[in-house]
Amino acid sequence: MTVAVNTIVESLKQFLDGDQISTNETIRELHGQDESYHEACLPDIVVFPKTKEQVCNIMKLANTLVVPVVPFGRGSSLEGHVIPYKNGITIDFSLMDKILEIREEDLLVKVQPGVTRMQLNKELKKYGLFFSVDPGADASLGGMAATNASGTTAVRYGVMRDQVRDLEVVLADGRIINTGNLAAKSSSGYHLNGLFVGSEGTLGCFTELTLKVYGIPEFEIAARAVFPTVENAIAAVTSILQVGIPIARVELVDEESIRQVNHYSDMDYAEKPTLFIEFHGNEAGLIQDVAFTREIMEDNGCVEVQFETDNAARHKLWEARHNLAYAYTHGHPGKKQMVTDVCVAISDLADAVRFAREQLNSANLPGGILGHVGDGNFHALVMIDMKNVEEVKRADDFNESIVQFALDRNGTCTGEHGVGVGKQKYQAKEHGEAFHVMETIKIALDPKNILNPGKIVRMGE
Amino acid sequence: MTVAVNTIVESLKQFLDGDQISTNETIRELHGQDESYHEACLPDIVVFPKTKEQVCNIMKLANTLVVPVVPFGRGSSLEGHVIPYKNGITIDFSLMDKILEIREEDLLVKVQPGVTRMQLNKELKKYGLFFSVDPGADASLGGMAATNASGTTAVRYGVMRDQVRDLEVVLADGRIINTGNLAAKSSSGYHLNGLFVGSEGTLGCFTELTLKVYGIPEFEIAARAVFPTVENAIAAVTSILQVGIPIARVELVDEESIRQVNHYSDMDYAEKPTLFIEFHGNEAGLIQDVAFTREIMEDNGCVEVQFETDNAARHKLWEARHNLAYAYTHGHPGKKQMVTDVCVAISDLADAVRFAREQLNSANLPGGILGHVGDGNFHALVMIDMKNVEEVKRADDFNESIVQFALDRNGTCTGEHGVGVGKQKYQAKEHGEAFHVMETIKIALDPKNILNPGKIVRMGE
């Protein structure tokens, strides 16, 4: 960056209060990392806008001075998305955390980008509604839209992109656009909603989101089903999907990971590959679905299945699943977590998971496999000592082998975490000629490359 | 166009057989119109490629010579999308009509763009599968992707864009890209699937589509429910959606349109606003859903409801609904049909339909209203005498008033038919500054403006 930090700060003061601008070391450090193992790098300045007009002014200034800008939600990204490797300005959206409108009849909400999913769900509960996307972390909704987050419920309700009805976006040059509207469907113009969701701050900053919400289901049943092998568990899921049983969640947790759960959450689950499943619907329908599901699971070698209709028991089950990442961290003090994230066609999933387990074993790395198997998306959680160069290399090679396996089968290097810096090197390989189209779009919309430079596409960096 | 037709034909012969190139007047006339009321205009040449390599060569040639190109499926578009107002080459995809792959386990199919939805569904039935999008016409799947078609089942299964897992696209300069992959979800790169679906041939020609399909539901029930007013019917639908009953279709047919149905399909339905509804699921669940739905409908003044579980009876019901457009045409010989297509938030739907009916009456035009009310999308079908300039003007004004009503409420000018030429004039108004972003993308990807020029965006034309 060629402009002096002081010059930028002085300019920012023309439209931000002093306490909305920080060059404090600690604040900068908090904005120099995310929850990934990727190396930290500090922004020069962190700003805390309260209105879209302020975001607009920040962008105009940054564009004029050619200063890099990184939008920042809660810092829960997993591929270094928010790490400002070119320094510059980080825009922290935590002060833009208002739920602006709840349109019950339309099953829509309008929120500012700093609202977190738990904050939204707490409010929605009063209306008998819920927001479906559940990535585990209490991420900001702006961040979730930026990475096209998903998680356990995508198999039923879809990913973040499916929930976005409209975005208000401040572009690189400060122009403000809306990418959608209030209509449930549209064939008007190009689909900018889809383009901006998942753009990881490289095409614009989101200042308002209009999102779909759902009525809380009349009835919910959860189940834990134990299988002799991962292959059996995946075969059961494939059959359940094929007969069209509308499962709301279906998570695979491998043997090693169940061991971590037992240890960390003080459970005594059978230490075998296990499916955590949930059904949403009406009572009569679910009873029939559950009976059919049990039959399919038994046909696929299921050795133990326990259904939970009770709210507390269901909650305990999912808490155990959600705590898994922390369980691994807790079980390996001093190590950092690398999480792979490929997604493949369901028919390739069993092979992909088997391959990942073999690679994990032969790399001699501690870790487990779990996955949103209804979507063909799974994670290997690997614990690594970042100070051990050779171990980091082994983990990187492991990650790469899994990605390569997925790309060879026309899958994707990232099902839900996004590209950030961690998956940047696979973009050209995964998208081929289409990657040049992405570069063309980036250049057209951010010609000075000031928006989260180096993420998704690289422009001569 | 500055290049002589003969020169282009000679160049085309280098990679196409003689019978794949036509300058025949009748063939050109067939490709100079669609099913809309928009004025015809003939292409200079019609070509019938059989492979993507041929499409690629056609585009390279057109790009070099700066000749306009219009991709053409079955010509069932409703806003003049395929009419080549700048003449040039029309690419007819009817010879690329192969179903390439059915991946049962993955619930995916790979097809060429000329495959029609009925052709696909006939084949899928053998596997117990179906393709969900049902726009009425037996459109080509390439065309349906190009316009982001939807129809009666979108409320449950989503629109065309939701079904597209991957597109093989030939760009303006002949480069071939894939916009997606086989994974059910991805956070990798920009979402080109979404951008190209609905691009109406202005960004590229589709040469292969990978689409989601579904298992045929275990159980289906259809119902016809009669209400005293349109408002009552819409209030019932809103309540059904809010409590989360997963209706598969819900169509509103107004009084005047029921009259046409009775006349054309020889039925004796009560001539009152009517909902045609369908449920898909398991038997026990549907019985509970149907009981709850009946209760909600009665609470909203429903005066008559008839459920049909029998396949033949269900089929007859939907046939009557689907024949409605033809019923109007049949009932008004010599007139052409103009169909409006706005989509609004559900909470604005009753007002929008009431406004449309008032405008229709005061414009003194024959026609009716029907709609995919679960999505907030409705059509006014208006019969017009194209030779009567004053009547055409009245119909245009009527269409415009309905669009303006929707745009004033942050809806869209087209829920499913697309922009073509008919909705081009509303693009800037609907999208505001975002329309410039669309223009920027068009210029970046088709700098010579050869792909379906004048549709969606206009570039100095």
Side-chain angles (χ1 to χ4, degrees):
Chain A
M1 208 171 62
T2 50
V3 191
V5 172
N6 275 349
T7 313
I8 305 171
V9 169
E10 285 314 305
S11 301
L12 287 167
K13 281 185 180 161
Q14 290 173 16
F15 49 84
L16 295 177
D17 290 338
D19 60 359
Q20 292 181 276
I21 308 166
S22 179
T23 54
N24 171 292
E25 182 82 7
T26 311
I27 299 289
R28 288 165 57 218
E29 274 171 8
L30 284 172
H31 294 83
Q33 56 187 323
D34 62 2
E35 290 186 9
S36 74
Y37 61 98
H38 297 293
E39 205 183 338
C41 182
L42 308 199
D44 297 303
I45 305 166
V46 183
V47 292
F48 300 84
K50 293 177 183 175
T51 65
K52 65 179 163 191
E53 289 76 18
Q54 291 179 344
V55 178
C56 170
N57 282 328
I58 295 164
M59 289 312 307
K60 281 180 181 163
L61 178 68
N63 199 44
T64 305
L65 302 179
V66 196
V67 176
V69 171
V70 175
F72 188 101
R74 279 292 179 279
S76 54
S77 59
L78 291 170
E79 288 292 2
H81 302 71
V82 296
I83 307 176
Y85 287 111
K86 305 280 172 186
N87 316 107
I89 301 171
T90 284
I91 306 183
D92 181 311
F93 282 96
S94 57
L95 299 184
M96 291 179 71
D97 65 345
K98 308 286 176 300
I99 298 170
L100 300 170
E101 197 180 358
I102 295 181
R103 297 174 69 106
E104 283 182 81
E105 251 185 293
D106 296 319
L107 297 170
L108 290 176
V109 296
K110 192 186 275 190
V111 299
Q112 290 188 317
V115 172
T116 72
R117 65 176 188 92
M118 288 184 189
Q119 178 192 348
L120 178 60
N121 269 325
K122 195 175 160 194
E123 185 62 23
L124 286 175
K125 207 173 174 183
K126 301 175 192 165
Y127 300 81
L129 300 171
F130 77 105
F131 177 70
S132 64
V133 185
D134 165 28
D138 188 22
S140 71
L141 294 163
M144 287 168 66
T147 55
N148 189 29
S150 46
T152 61
T153 58
V155 65
R156 170 69 175 271
Y157 299 95
V159 300
M160 195 66 191
R161 186 174 282 124
D162 300 310
Q163 319 309 327
V164 173
R165 187 67 60 85
D166 187 19
L167 294 173
E168 182 184 79
V169 184
V170 179
L171 301 176
D173 57 10
R175 280 182 296 157
I176 301 177
I177 64 167
N178 279 83
T179 59
N181 51 50
L182 292 179
K185 60 184 206 186
S186 174
S187 285
S188 181
Y190 299 144
H191 189 52
L192 298 185
N193 267 349
L195 183 65
F196 280 84
V197 174
S199 63
E200 302 185 1
T202 65
L203 299 180
C205 295
F206 307 155
T207 47
E208 256 178 46
L209 302 89
T210 302
L211 303 170
K212 277 172 75 175
V213 296
Y214 300 86
I216 293 173
E218 178 198 321
F219 205 72
E220 304 186 10
I221 306 180
R224 185 177 51 81
V226 181
F227 291 82
T229 67
V230 162
E231 285 80 0
N232 288 126
I234 292 175
V237 173
T238 306
S239 297
I240 292 167
L241 292 172
Q242 267 189 305
V243 299
I245 296 174
I247 27 180
R249 311 180 192 228
V250 56
E251 298 287 300
L252 173 71
V253 182
D254 80 347
E255 213 165 321
E256 178 56 36
S257 303
I258 290 286
R259 219 166 282 143
Q260 292 289 334
V261 166
N262 282 344
H263 187 69
Y264 180 80
S265 298
D266 200 22
M267 311 296 273
D268 59 349
Y269 293 152
E271 291 181 355
K272 287 274 173 202
T274 301
L275 292 178
F276 289 36
I277 310 184
E278 193 165 273
F279 303 84
H280 296 172
N282 72 37
E283 188 167 356
L286 287 204
I287 289 169
Q288 186 175 334
D289 280 345
V290 160
F292 198 6
T293 301
R294 184 192 283 269
E295 213 176 283
I296 291 172
M297 293 197 302
E298 283 167 0
D299 285 351
N300 284 283
C302 176
V303 290
E304 180 195 335
V305 56
Q306 177 162 1
F307 287 94
E308 312 276 14
T309 51
D310 174 66
N311 245 332
R314 275 201 309 113
H315 190 252
K316 200 172 164 194
L317 191 77
W318 287 109
E319 199 176 55
R321 159 66 188 86
H322 273 137
N323 284 337
L324 200 43
Y326 299 106
Y328 270 106
T329 306
H330 186 81
H332 298 85
K335 294 202 169 198
K336 280 245 185 188
Q337 197 165 80
M338 176 192 276
V339 190
T340 74
D341 181 39
V342 297
C343 189
V344 294
I346 296 281
S347 59
D348 288 319
L349 182 61
D351 284 348
V353 171
R354 188 187 311 114
F355 177 81
R357 171 45 70 191
E358 286 165 8
Q359 294 293 308
L360 198 54
N361 291 348
S362 72
N364 197 23
L365 291 163
I369 291 170
L370 53 144
H372 314 305
V373 287
D375 307 306
N377 178 214
F378 71 94
H379 309 301
L381 298 183
V382 188
M383 301 310 303
I384 41 179
D385 174 0
M386 294 304 290
K387 295 195 198 82
N388 183 335
V389 178
E390 187 276 331
E391 189 169 303
V392 173
K393 170 81 168 64
R394 249 186 301 139
D396 275 335
D397 290 348
F398 163 72
N399 199 337
E400 183 141 348
S401 71
I402 290 186
V403 169
Q404 194 53 56
F405 189 96
L407 296 187
D408 286 346
R409 282 150 191 84
N410 202 6
T412 178
C413 68
T414 172
E416 56 181 17
H417 294 169
V419 177
V421 288
K423 296 290 159 54
Q424 210 288 327
K425 60 185 164 182
Y426 305 120
Q427 292 301 293
K429 189 177 257 175
E430 174 167 340
H431 300 293
E433 191 61 45
F435 188 55
H436 296 303
V437 171
M438 297 175 194
E439 289 172 329
T440 302
I441 291 171
K442 166 72 174 176
I443 294 168
L445 296 181
D446 178 19
K448 296 183 182 174
N449 192 26
I450 58 165
L451 277 164
N452 210 357
K455 312 297 162 58
I456 304 188
V457 293
R458 279 182 186 273
M459 297 170 57
E461 290 128 84
Chain B
M1 208 171 63
T2 50
V3 191
V5 171
N6 274 348
T7 313
I8 305 171
V9 169
E10 284 314 306
S11 302
L12 287 167
K13 281 186 180 161
Q14 291 172 15
F15 49 85
L16 295 177
D17 290 339
D19 60 0
Q20 292 180 275
I21 309 166
S22 180
T23 52
N24 171 292
E25 182 81 8
T26 311
I27 299 290
R28 288 166 56 218
E29 274 170 9
L30 283 171
H31 294 82
Q33 56 187 323
D34 61 3
E35 290 186 10
S36 74
Y37 61 97
H38 297 292
E39 204 183 341
C41 181
L42 306 199
D44 297 304
I45 306 164
V46 182
V47 293
F48 300 84
K50 293 178 182 173
T51 64
K52 65 179 160 191
E53 290 75 17
Q54 291 179 343
V55 178
C56 170
N57 282 326
I58 295 164
M59 289 312 307
K60 280 181 181 162
L61 178 68
N63 199 44
T64 304
L65 303 179
V66 197
V67 176
V69 171
V70 175
F72 188 100
R74 279 292 180 280
S76 53
S77 59
L78 291 171
E79 288 292 2
H81 302 70
V82 297
I83 307 176
Y85 287 110
K86 304 279 172 188
N87 316 107
I89 301 171
T90 284
I91 306 184
D92 181 311
F93 282 96
S94 57
L95 299 183
M96 291 179 70
D97 64 346
K98 308 286 176 301
I99 297 169
L100 300 170
E101 198 181 357
I102 295 180
R103 297 174 69 106
E104 283 182 80
E105 250 185 294
D106 296 319
L107 297 171
L108 289 176
V109 296
K110 193 186 273 188
V111 299
Q112 290 187 316
V115 172
T116 72
R117 66 177 187 92
M118 288 186 190
Q119 178 192 348
L120 178 60
N121 268 325
K122 195 175 160 193
E123 185 63 23
L124 286 176
K125 206 173 176 183
K126 301 175 190 164
Y127 300 82
L129 300 171
F130 78 104
F131 177 70
S132 64
V133 185
D134 165 28
D138 188 22
S140 72
L141 294 164
M144 287 169 65
T147 54
N148 189 30
S150 46
T152 60
T153 58
V155 65
R156 170 68 175 271
Y157 299 96
V159 300
M160 194 67 191
R161 186 173 282 123
D162 300 310
Q163 320 308 326
V164 172
R165 186 66 61 85
D166 188 19
L167 294 173
E168 182 184 78
V169 183
V170 179
L171 301 176
D173 57 9
R175 281 182 296 158
I176 301 178
I177 63 166
N178 279 83
T179 59
N181 51 51
L182 292 179
K185 60 185 205 185
S186 174
S187 286
S188 181
Y190 298 144
H191 189 52
L192 298 185
N193 268 348
L195 182 66
F196 280 83
V197 174
S199 63
E200 302 186 2
T202 64
L203 299 180
C205 295
F206 307 156
T207 48
E208 256 178 46
L209 301 90
T210 302
L211 303 171
K212 277 172 75 176
V213 296
Y214 300 85
I216 293 172
E218 178 199 322
F219 205 71
E220 304 185 12
I221 305 180
R224 186 177 51 80
V226 181
F227 291 82
T229 67
V230 163
E231 286 79 1
N232 288 128
I234 292 175
V237 173
T238 306
S239 297
I240 292 167
L241 292 172
Q242 267 190 305
V243 299
I245 296 174
I247 28 179
R249 312 180 193 228
V250 56
E251 298 287 300
L252 173 72
V253 182
D254 80 346
E255 214 164 322
E256 178 55 37
S257 303
I258 290 285
R259 220 167 281 142
Q260 291 289 333
V261 167
N262 281 345
H263 186 70
Y264 180 79
S265 298
D266 201 19
M267 311 297 272
D268 58 350
Y269 293 151
E271 292 182 354
K272 287 273 172 202
T274 301
L275 292 178
F276 289 37
I277 310 187
E278 193 165 274
F279 304 84
H280 296 171
N282 72 36
E283 190 168 354
L286 287 205
I287 288 169
Q288 187 175 333
D289 281 345
V290 160
F292 197 7
T293 301
R294 184 192 284 269
E295 214 175 284
I296 291 171
M297 292 196 303
E298 284 168 0
D299 285 350
N300 284 284
C302 176
V303 291
E304 180 194 336
V305 57
Q306 178 161 3
F307 286 94
E308 310 277 14
T309 52
D310 174 66
N311 244 331
R314 275 200 309 113
H315 190 252
K316 201 173 164 194
L317 191 76
W318 287 108
E319 200 175 55
R321 160 65 188 87
H322 274 137
N323 285 337
L324 199 43
Y326 298 106
Y328 271 106
T329 306
H330 187 80
H332 299 85
K335 295 202 169 197
K336 281 244 184 188
Q337 195 165 83
M338 176 192 277
V339 190
T340 74
D341 180 38
V342 297
C343 189
V344 294
I346 297 281
S347 59
D348 288 320
L349 183 60
D351 284 347
V353 170
R354 188 187 312 116
F355 176 80
R357 171 45 70 191
E358 285 165 7
Q359 294 294 307
L360 198 54
N361 291 348
S362 72
N364 197 22
L365 292 163
I369 291 171
L370 53 144
H372 313 306
V373 286
D375 307 306
N377 179 214
F378 72 94
H379 309 301
L381 298 182
V382 188
M383 301 309 303
I384 42 179
D385 175 0
M386 294 303 289
K387 294 195 199 84
N388 182 336
V389 179
E390 187 275 332
E391 189 169 305
V392 173
K393 171 80 169 62
R394 248 185 301 141
D396 276 334
D397 290 349
F398 164 73
N399 199 336
E400 185 142 346
S401 71
I402 290 187
V403 169
Q404 194 52 57
F405 189 96
L407 296 187
D408 286 345
R409 282 147 192 85
N410 202 7
T412 177
C413 68
T414 171
E416 58 181 16
H417 294 169
V419 177
V421 288
K423 296 289 159 56
Q424 210 287 327
K425 60 184 164 183
Y426 306 119
Q427 292 302 290
K429 189 177 259 178
E430 174 166 341
H431 300 294
E433 191 60 46
F435 188 56
H436 295 304
V437 171
M438 297 176 194
E439 288 173 329
T440 302
I441 291 171
K442 167 73 175 177
I443 293 168
L445 296 180
D446 178 19
K448 295 182 182 175
N449 192 25
I450 59 166
L451 277 163
N452 210 357
K455 312 295 162 57
I456 302 188
V457 293
R458 280 183 186 271
M459 297 170 60
E461 289 129 87

